[in-house]
Amino acid sequence: MTPDLFAAEPTPAERAAELRAQLHHHAHRYYVLDAPEIPDAEYDRLFQALQAIEAAHPELLTTDSPTQRVGGKILDGLVPVRHAVPMLSIQTETDTTAGGAEAFDARVRRELGLAETDPAVEYAAELKFDGLAINLRYEHGVLVQAATRGDGETGEDVTQNIRTIGQIPLRLNGEAPAVIEVRGEVYMRRDDFEKLNERQREKGEKTYINPRNTAAGAVRQLDPAITAQRPLSFFAYGLGEVRGWTLPDTHSGLLDALAAFGLPVCVDRCVAQGAAGLVAFHAQIAAKRDALPFDIDGVVYKVNSLALQRELGFKTREPRWAVAHKYPAQEQLTTVLAIDVQVGRTGKLTPVAKLAPVFVGNVTVTNATLHNENEARRKDVRVGDTVIVRRAGDVIPEVVAVLPEKRPEGATVFTMPHTCPVCGSAAVREEGEVDHRCTGGLFCGAQRKQAILHYAQRRAVDIEGLGDKLVEQLVDADVVKTLPDLYRMGLMALANLDRMAEKSAQNVLDALEKSKHTTLPRFLFGLGIRHVGEATAKDLARHFGSLDAIMDASEEQLLEVNDVGPTVAQSLRTFFDQPHNREVVEQLRACGVHWEEGAPAERAAQPLAGKTFVLTGTFPKLKREEAKEMLEAAGAKVAGSVSKKTDYVVAGEEAGSKLDKARELGVAVLDETGMLALLSTA
Ligand code: IVH
């Protein structure tokens, strides 16, 4: 054997180191640069390979291993950490106009003893991130500790939690100093925050107030598993203790160096000359503030030269070389004047707080969504309340919290109306849903456009040429209010619309005429009844034969239809119980809309109705599909997986996990013969 062959086989330690280096590299590409080089699945494969080695050789585990990002232990409390270099705060310039930048530059020049004729001072201008300040301590390139700012002298150890943040490197790239403490801000992106709240809303749980509080809460969690589920991000902006490293000459150079170490540094920064440069940066960022993916509450100016920074020094707890220049706040207090309920295009009812006008996030806000009844109740927003309103980015303004101590006496709890505020039809909230909906789909003014488009679509009554734009025009011009109006409008009304030639108007009329001859399933589907899709419409038509029979069927009778469950049955019943909806149907028929009707379908005997079967393995005689058809013809449902609700599992040759699951749950198991016997005796 040649020595080369020995060399070709890496030891577990070498393999682990190699995998870690690869994972560090790809995590940086993915989390920091947002430019992955390999698919997620490949990353997962490398990750699992490393996990396997570490499981087999626990002695090879290191604190900077990417596998250590999750799974820290639950703590009793956070442990205090004394900062090697205090974490200071910066003076805030509250004048949000250009004056703020000019005042700072004037102070710096005075303290440096510069004359008016001296050249402009150079600054590094960056964003003031709205999150939580963190000190990351790297020793020989490895992240050894992360701490919050606390009172500036002593913070709290949050190392386990910070390790879960993918953007924060566990090991620095390149030649790392003996000690380098990197300071920066942990924050939550606005879209991540919205998604988190959307999930909370779906689960019917409490929503979070704003990204900053949510990020701060997540970092100070005692259970790192919870932190790991919160989508946190990080930007580096400064230094703490440093040993064994020659600092760059400027702050901008320092940020470049931090980026080269693999730390996330925000690209929205610049080197600015004098007050004019700062003013320009302040204005430029103000213009793009809403478009940034995260919240900022201002910008920060720092004297760029580190030598000049040292010369300027500190005034008690604040550096003289830096200042925060604010923007108008994104949260404000105001009062609730009323709570209105708005109806969307699809009939969804949304409670909206009418507010005393307030300037927030750079616009005057008078409305804020309360989303739905649950949320309005949970926040307990009442007319007369003093509330915190938040408007950040392009997100719709929101009431995030109520100040209960300011509530006027006699303020009453908000309840959703039982009727639609637009058309008066019943408003219902279906089981398991968070939203109330108007049930007057065909008649409701708010739902007109949607109802017409749904009716006219190809899969429904199919009115060629009646698309988005035309419907928009017809409804806005009040030519069409409800579906029957479509058949009543004349050539003139159509031709009078903007950009409508007489010829195309005639084409639309022809298409309308043609659409009058339709089929019952298409017409039924076209009515836009909630939960009644094409397939259900077909089933209903087949089962009942005529529209009148469907409109008059009781919930029980509706439930007899294949695939119609309680939700669909209830939805049909509510829809046809609205006199306005029925009136529209009658008018459509009076306009000449017609179809063939038949007798109700002969009801085959359905001895296995209500029983659920699961088929697994290969059967001796029947193909799987044939067995399925036979069972379905007898009224049974054939499902894909075994659960407690399964009545029978029919197992053939080489039945696998489904059979095991059936045994585990105590579900009856048949073979093909057993199934055929059941079908013949049933
Ligand atoms: S520099 C000695 N730069 O604002 C200067 N701070 O009062 C130390 N912050 O809680 C701070 N963005 O967390 C600096 N680009 C930035 C910042 C920033 C946000 C926060 C920081 C601190 C507060 C300063």
Side-chain angles (χ1 to χ4, degrees):
M1 234 186 276
T2 64
D4 284 349
L5 272 180
F6 284 113
E9 190 66 45
T11 64
E14 284 163 352
R15 181 80 187 116
E18 165 70 18
L19 284 167
R20 269 177 214 137
Q22 285 178 330
L23 287 162
H24 278 309
H25 171 77
H26 291 301
H28 182 243
R29 299 285 315 183
Y30 182 89
Y31 290 110
V32 182
L33 304 181
D34 200 13
E37 290 169 341
I38 55 169
D40 292 2
E42 179 61 14
Y43 183 88
D44 293 345
R45 206 185 58 75
L46 297 173
F47 191 89
Q48 281 156 14
L50 178 59
Q51 270 182 324
I53 297 177
E54 288 173 347
H57 308 275
E59 72 282 2
L60 294 180
L61 200 70
T62 59
T63 50
D64 69 332
S65 175
T67 59
Q68 298 310 292
R69 285 199 186 273
V70 284
K73 42 184 185 311
I74 303 182
L75 306 175
D76 294 329
L78 298 178
V79 178
V81 174
R82 197 162 171 84
H83 296 299
V85 175
M87 287 181 80
L88 304 178
S89 58
I90 28 182
Q91 195 183 332
T92 301
E93 199 53 70
T94 44
D95 180 350
T96 58
T97 68
E102 285 154 0
F104 171 63
D105 180 58
R107 264 201 318 275
V108 168
R109 293 185 71 87
R110 194 175 57 242
E111 270 146 19
L112 289 174
L114 296 177
E116 244 174 73
T117 48
D118 285 323
V121 175
E122 183 174 276
Y123 297 101
E126 55 197 61
L127 305 183
K128 185 166 192 300
F129 313 107
D130 206 5
L132 180 74
I134 290 287
N135 184 70
L136 304 175
R137 186 176 175 90
Y138 289 90
E139 292 179 2
H140 304 288
V142 177
L143 177 69
V144 293
Q145 187 182 61
T148 62
R149 177 170 178 272
D151 64 4
E153 300 290 333
T154 307
E156 288 167 319
D157 187 330
V158 288
T159 314
Q160 294 201 98
N161 294 342
I162 292 299
R163 280 214 179 99
T164 68
I165 303 176
Q167 283 196 335
I168 295 183
L170 299 177
R171 167 184 282 280
L172 298 178
N173 290 339
E175 281 286 303
V179 173
I180 183 167
E181 289 186 349
V182 178
R183 288 179 177 171
E185 200 91 347
V186 171
Y187 67 96
M188 189 177 280
R189 288 169 56 102
R190 232 149 28 208
D191 56 352
D192 284 333
F193 173 75
E194 293 301 325
K195 270 184 254 160
L196 183 65
N197 265 352
E198 196 52 47
R199 280 206 298 276
Q200 291 293 105
R201 240 172 254 133
E202 272 162 22
K203 286 192 286 184
E205 284 172 22
K206 200 167 157 283
T207 50
Y208 297 94
I209 291 195
N210 58 36
R212 186 198 49 232
N213 291 2
T214 315
V219 168
R220 302 190 61 254
Q221 264 294 325
L222 295 177
D223 180 359
I226 296 181
T227 313
Q229 289 164 14
R230 301 278 180 270
L232 298 172
S233 302
F234 178 79
F235 278 131
Y237 56 62
L239 288 181
E241 188 185 12
V242 175
R243 275 195 248 157
W245 192 53
T246 316
L247 263 59
D249 292 335
T250 58
H251 183 74
S252 57
L254 167 65
L255 294 182
D256 294 339
L258 294 180
F261 278 137
L263 288 149
V265 174
C266 184
V267 293
D268 285 300
R269 59 181 168 113
C270 77
V271 173
Q273 307 298 332
L278 298 180
V279 170
F281 183 74
H282 189 257
Q284 180 205 330
I285 298 300
K288 74 185 278 194
R289 184 186 188 193
D290 276 357
L292 290 172
F294 46 82
D295 282 359
I296 56 168
D297 55 353
V299 287
V300 176
Y301 311 134
K302 297 170 182 173
V303 170
N304 201 24
S305 153
L306 299 194
L308 288 183
Q309 284 188 8
R310 278 186 284 273
E311 189 178 330
L312 284 158
F314 297 86
K315 191 175 84 187
T316 57
R317 309 190 44 78
E318 288 162 356
R320 289 201 190 85
W321 45 264
V323 78
H325 193 187
K326 292 271 199 168
Y327 288 124
Q330 290 179 317
E331 283 180 14
Q332 290 291 359
L333 291 182
T334 187
T335 53
V336 178
L337 304 177
I339 299 176
D340 282 2
V341 174
Q342 292 178 354
V343 188
R345 278 170 66 95
T346 60
K348 183 184 152 192
L349 269 57
T350 307
V352 175
K354 298 279 153 184
L355 306 169
V358 59
F359 190 69
V360 48
N362 232 16
V363 297
T364 302
V365 169
T366 52
N367 287 328
T369 179
L370 297 173
H371 294 283
N372 55 47
E373 183 179 40
N374 274 2
E375 189 134 326
R377 286 280 189 85
R378 203 172 28 243
K379 286 179 184 159
D380 193 15
V381 182
R382 304 187 189 186
V383 176
D385 271 344
T386 299
V387 293
I388 302 172
V389 182
R390 171 179 156 83
R391 184 199 167 267
D394 300 325
V395 181
I396 342 169
E398 260 196 296
V399 167
V400 293
V402 171
L403 303 188
E405 67 278 12
K406 297 219 166 165
R407 171 164 292 163
E409 237 172 86
T412 51
V413 173
F414 168 77
T415 50
M416 280 299 258
H418 296 293
T419 54
C420 169
V422 172
C423 75
S425 301
V428 299
R429 177 175 167 189
E430 288 174 13
E431 218 177 287
E433 303 234 342
V434 290
D435 294 317
H436 281 70
R437 285 178 184 278
C438 164
T439 54
L442 292 187
F443 176 76
C444 181
Q447 299 174 70
R448 255 170 222 165
K449 291 176 186 170
Q450 187 86 348
I452 298 168
L453 280 172
H454 185 84
Y455 179 81
Q457 67 176 299
R458 180 155 320 147
R459 295 185 296 139
V461 174
D462 189 13
I463 308 172
E464 220 185 304
L466 192 64
D468 256 329
K469 284 219 183 68
L470 184 54
V471 169
E472 190 91 23
Q473 280 182 303
L474 288 169
V475 172
D476 292 346
D478 257 351
V479 176
V480 176
K481 289 199 175 70
T482 66
L483 294 177
D485 294 337
L486 286 171
Y487 296 105
R488 294 185 191 126
M489 64 183 169
L491 189 64
M492 281 320 289
L494 262 170
N496 275 340
L497 295 174
D498 251 10
R499 265 174 304 188
M500 174 66 87
E502 202 168 305
K503 184 161 172 299
S504 24
Q506 187 56 50
N507 285 346
V508 174
L509 288 188
D510 291 347
L512 277 160
E513 197 52 39
K514 197 170 143 215
S515 76
K516 285 184 186 171
H517 182 66
T518 183
T519 67
L520 178 53
R522 280 171 173 272
F523 182 78
L524 192 56
F525 169 61
L527 295 180
I529 305 166
R530 209 163 140 71
H531 305 301
V532 178
E534 273 178 288
T536 308
K538 278 185 195 152
D539 287 343
L540 287 163
R542 198 176 315 121
H543 185 100
F544 288 102
S546 74
L547 182 64
D548 290 316
I550 298 169
M551 291 202 294
D552 294 335
S554 67
E555 258 180 67
E556 292 73 44
Q557 288 168 325
L558 289 165
L559 283 170
E560 287 170 16
V561 181
N562 230 345
D563 278 341
V564 169
T567 315
V568 181
Q570 218 174 56
S571 173
L572 278 157
R573 210 41 280 142
T574 325
F575 184 87
F576 288 119
D577 279 344
Q578 309 305 311
H580 290 314
N581 287 340
R582 282 185 100 111
E583 204 174 299
V584 170
V585 170
E586 291 320 327
Q587 286 179 17
L588 284 169
R589 287 206 272 206
C591 287
V593 178
H594 65 285
W595 54 84
E596 322 260 290
E597 298 207 327
E602 268 303 304
R603 301 239 287 106
Q606 298 230 301
L608 296 182
K611 300 285 182 216
T612 302
F613 285 69
V614 172
L615 306 177
T616 176
T618 328
F619 304 125
K621 295 201 200 84
L622 297 171
K623 291 213 179 72
R624 180 89 68 93
E625 201 46 41
E626 290 169 334
K628 183 167 179 239
E629 273 169 26
M630 287 171 79
L631 287 165
E632 281 176 345
K637 203 175 134 205
V638 178
S641 59
V642 181
S643 75
K644 277 189 296 197
K645 290 195 187 131
T646 313
D647 296 290
Y648 298 98
V649 168
V650 186
E653 237 25 57
E654 281 170 47
S657 61
K658 288 179 191 172
L659 182 56
D660 299 338
K661 185 83 189 273
R663 296 221 168 96
E664 188 188 315
L665 293 174
V667 174
V669 178
L670 303 172
D671 59 7
E672 188 191 63
T673 321
M675 178 189 77
L676 290 170
L678 191 67
L679 277 165
S680 65
T681 56

